[in-house]
Amino acid sequence: MNRIVIGRYIPGNSFLYRMDPRTKLIAMILLMVSVFLIQSFIHMLVALLLVALLLVFGGISVKRVYLGLRPLVFLLIFTFLFQVLFNRQGDLLYSLELHYTVLNLSIAMALVIMWGFTKRFLRFRLLYFLATVAGVFLLFHYLPFGIVLGEGTFSVYEQGLSTAFFIMVRLVIIITLSTILTITTKPTDLNLGLESILRPLRILRINAEEIAMIIAISLRYIPTLLDEANKIMLAQASRGVDFQEGKLKDKVIQVVSLLVPMFIISFQRSDDLANAMETRSFVPGQKRTRLHILHWSGLDTTALAFTCAALIGVILLRVVGW
Amino acid sequence: MNMIDIENLSFTYGGKVEALKNVSLCVKKGEWVTILGHNGSGKSTLAKLIVGLLKPQKGTIRVDGVELSERTVHDIRKKVGIVFQNPDNQFVGVTVRDDIAFGLENLRIPREEMIERIEHYAKRVDMYSYLNKEPQALSGGQKQRVAIAGILAMRTEVIIFDEATSMLDPDGRKRILSYMRKLRDDGVTVVTITHDMREAVQSDRIVVLKDGEILKADKSEDVLKDKETLEKSNLELLLPLEVLHGLEHKKSTNEEIKEFLWQLSLNG
Ligand SMILES: Nc1ncnc2c1ncn2[C@@H]1O[C@H](COP(=O)(O)OP(=O)(O)OP(=O)(O)O)[C@@H](O)[C@H]1O
Ligand SMILES: [Mg+2]
């Protein structure tokens, strides 16, 4: 149950840790917007370099960021392939004639089946998957023997490649930035910062403090609920429910046998918690003093000035049309 | 002067379960009263009524001379704190410090005073070195001590403990009993709710509830010795008193006493 390690706070003491959570939140949003406005290849590479520098000087291990990216690697590769394969705008950069024949189709099918069977035994599944895809294309090109069923071309266009590049780099930068934020900021501080930033929403009758309280309580109870799920699973397992294997029907029974008690216990819990909060003089919407307060320092002003400069720079570049 | 004054209080859940029937009772300022009763006798219902979590269907509740109503409930909650049974379900903050602060924030205590109080009461329940810990890192007893510190820090005049020790081990229970004694010495009015006779011993007065009715309310000593009343409400005499009781009624030989004690320990 301790698999949720992505983006968990890791104590440290670089300048990123000393920044006010509000600064980090606003800076992150500004930088994300900037990244979306960048249109030139070179500028994008510069942005990537700057983010890398941020990691180095912020004392954040690249491995942590990679862990944050890993669940999305497949998505990244998929979007990349999708763009490269189907975007047909701009100049033609490369093309490969493909001949679909009975022979190479059968071999391709065999390859895919083999991939399906053997992938679970290998460590570098993603590379293996890519190699298989590449292998299938090569087959279609280099084995044009036998009865021909159809013809096609695999072509890469300039636009496809550049769109793919931009999407990839933007996603990587965005995820890296948000990982930096969550690694260097305690959940309580992050919440406090969020509350402070959302406070102007009062004019829309949205109570930032309540939202923050809801987030804080959810944060507080997630580990407790995971613990509970664990206990229930153990209890159910001792009654013969198998949580590891099983057909769809068994899976449904497993999920139900976990969810029903979880719900009942959670309702009891929330009832008790509401009672405890109410009797400790909590009245929703009423003014409270706060134990935690945020400190704005020169570092924050500097950091915010830099990010604003970056955003303005990007906008100017775009207007000038470089 | 009475701190809590309850007159002819009745409460029924959903029009069916009569949890309290015509209960009248008072607790004096600075007094330590135990409410004793079997499971389902209406103890928690009574506690929830006193802090305004439930609304009385009949009868009145007065706290420090003020009648409990929708209008006065917030003021009354500033005078009456309550510690519940399950330590996990009353931990509001993300850390021990935040949890003790929660009530103080609600009372709009200035930040400097808040910090002082948090440290003072964390020390008082021996949780000072845990101030930055998250609840997952604490045992049940420690969480319960944090809950108590959170209430103590609010400096309420009355503290109700609703089976606050029932999920704890003997050591945890003893610690909390010692805090209760200290509270009484400090002049705080204490109401403990329990079905554990050992918790009732040190209080000034015991109120015995049975099926929503008061069976007996008297000085602790008198109630503890009253085998008949206790048996009627499914409670047991304290072991030494049971022995005393057993021995009083017969002139026995050593062998017979041994046999009697043996039987007693077998029956738990
Ligand atoms: N929310 C509720 N809805 C319906 N009936 C309830 C509810 N809460 C309690 N009751 C019933 O009211 C009666 C008194 O309950 P109460 O919780 O006050 O007992 P208790 O003395 O605190 O018991 P315990 O020692 O188990 O805590 C019981 O019969 C119980 O089943
Ligand atoms: Mg109860």
Side-chain angles (χ1 to χ4, degrees), chain A residues 71-88:
Chain A
L72 290 157
V73 167
F74 190 79
L75 181 74
L76 286 175
I77 287 176
F78 181 78
T79 16
F80 190 85
L81 286 181
F82 189 85
Q83 284 297 334
V84 169
L85 290 180
F86 298 109
N87 192 329
R88 289 171 182 275

Side-chain angles (χ1 to χ4, degrees), chain B residues 4-223:
Chain B
I4 301 175
D5 237 320
I6 296 173
E7 273 170 46
N8 305 322
L9 187 67
S10 296
F11 190 87
T12 310
Y13 282 104
K16 283 190 289 267
V17 189
E18 271 191 290
L20 287 178
K21 301 167 205 163
N22 221 24
V23 167
S24 297
L25 123 108
C26 60
V27 179
K28 287 197 211 63
K29 239 183 198 147
E31 196 181 20
W32 180 356
V33 172
T34 299
I35 295 177
L36 203 58
H38 56 86
N39 286 131
S41 56
K43 307 182 295 289
S44 296
T45 308
L46 183 61
K48 283 182 184 164
L49 282 161
I50 296 173
V51 292
L53 287 173
L54 297 173
K55 241 166 83 186
Q57 284 138 356
K58 227 179 99 248
T60 55
I61 299 168
R62 247 176 245 281
V63 176
D64 207 10
V66 179
E67 186 172 336
L68 180 72
S69 70
E70 217 139 298
R71 207 169 41 78
T72 57
V73 68
H74 295 307
D75 290 326
I76 284 180
R77 281 183 191 152
K78 288 178 190 154
K79 287 188 182 159
V80 187
I82 179 165
V83 182
F84 294 98
Q85 178 176 18
N86 190 335
D88 236 323
N89 295 0
Q90 46 188 325
F91 204 110
V92 185
V94 179
T95 62
V96 170
R97 190 191 303 277
D98 293 354
D99 190 64
I100 301 177
F102 180 75
L104 301 175
E105 292 179 324
N106 294 334
L107 292 180
R108 281 178 254 173
I109 306 290
R111 188 163 172 271
E112 289 72 36
E113 192 187 337
M114 195 155 23
I115 294 170
E116 256 168 51
R117 285 205 204 178
I118 291 171
E119 295 188 349
H120 179 257
Y121 288 101
K123 277 180 194 150
R124 176 106 170 245
V125 297
D126 304 312
M127 290 298 289
Y128 185 69
S129 52
Y130 293 86
L131 275 176
N132 291 322
K133 288 269 191 309
E134 294 171 8
Q136 306 92 272
L138 306 180
S139 72
Q142 289 170 333
K143 273 181 237 177
Q144 200 65 311
R145 268 145 61 194
V146 174
I148 291 173
I151 303 294
L152 294 182
M154 292 173 76
R155 299 200 177 139
T156 55
E157 289 170 58
V158 185
I159 299 186
I160 303 175
F161 294 85
D162 186 356
E163 302 198 40
T165 63
S166 69
M167 291 174 97
L168 309 185
D169 61 10
D171 196 50
R173 181 194 312 261
K174 269 184 207 143
R175 252 179 209 265
I176 289 181
L177 278 173
S178 77
Y179 302 145
M180 293 176 185
R181 273 198 299 278
K182 181 113 189 350
L183 281 174
R184 193 235 328 251
D185 296 344
D186 290 350
V188 177
T189 310
V190 180
V191 178
T192 52
I193 291 176
T194 182
H195 47 237
D196 187 337
M197 301 301 290
R198 285 168 298 172
E199 226 176 293
V201 179
Q202 286 162 344
S203 60
D204 303 315
R205 218 148 49 85
I206 296 179
V207 176
V208 183
L209 271 183
K210 180 182 193 283
D211 296 329
E213 284 173 297
I214 292 184
L215 207 61
K216 182 167 179 152
D218 216 332
K219 281 217 310 266
S220 297
E221 210 184 309
D222 297 338
V223 176

Side-chain angles (χ1 to χ4, degrees), chain A residues 186-188 191 209 213 215-217 219-224 227-228 231 265 268-284 286-293 295, chain B residues 48 51-53 74 77-78 80-82 84 86-94 97-111 114-115 118 135-136 143 147 150-151 154:
Chain A
K186 282 187 202 141
T188 14
N191 200 19
E209 205 171 335
M213 168 95 52
I215 297 175
I217 287 176
L219 283 176
R220 176 276 144 275
Y221 274 95
I222 285 169
T224 315
D227 230 36
E228 202 124 79
K231 270 188 217 150
I265 294 170
Q268 180 59 50
R269 236 183 234 299
S270 58
D271 230 34
D272 284 0
L273 186 68
N275 282 345
M277 287 171 68
E278 226 182 301
T279 50
R280 280 159 83 181
S281 283
F282 178 70
V283 182
Q286 202 177 65
K287 206 168 165 291
R288 317 166 65 218
T289 50
R290 302 302 292 271
L291 175 65
H292 297 288
I293 48 174
H295 296 283
Chain B
K48 283 182 184 164
V51 292
L53 287 173
H74 295 307
R77 281 183 191 152
K78 288 178 190 154
V80 187
I82 179 165
F84 294 98
N86 190 335
D88 236 323
N89 295 0
Q90 46 188 325
F91 204 110
V92 185
V94 179
R97 190 191 303 277
D98 293 354
D99 190 64
I100 301 177
F102 180 75
L104 301 175
E105 292 179 324
N106 294 334
L107 292 180
R108 281 178 254 173
I109 306 290
R111 188 163 172 271
M114 195 155 23
I115 294 170
I118 291 171
Q136 306 92 272
K143 273 181 237 177
I151 303 294
M154 292 173 76

Side-chain angles (χ1 to χ4, degrees), chain A residues 236 251-261:
Chain A
Q236 305 285 36
K251 285 265 181 252
V252 171
I253 294 175
Q254 291 158 18
V255 170
V256 170
S257 74
L258 180 64
L259 280 187
V260 171

Side-chain angles (χ1 to χ4, degrees), chain A residues 26 34 42 47 68 72-73 89 144 173 188 218 237 240 248 252 255 271 274 298:
Chain A
I26 296 174
S34 313
I42 305 282
L72 290 157
V73 167
Q89 286 165 314
I173 290 181
T188 14
S218 313
L248 184 65
V252 171
V255 170
D271 230 34

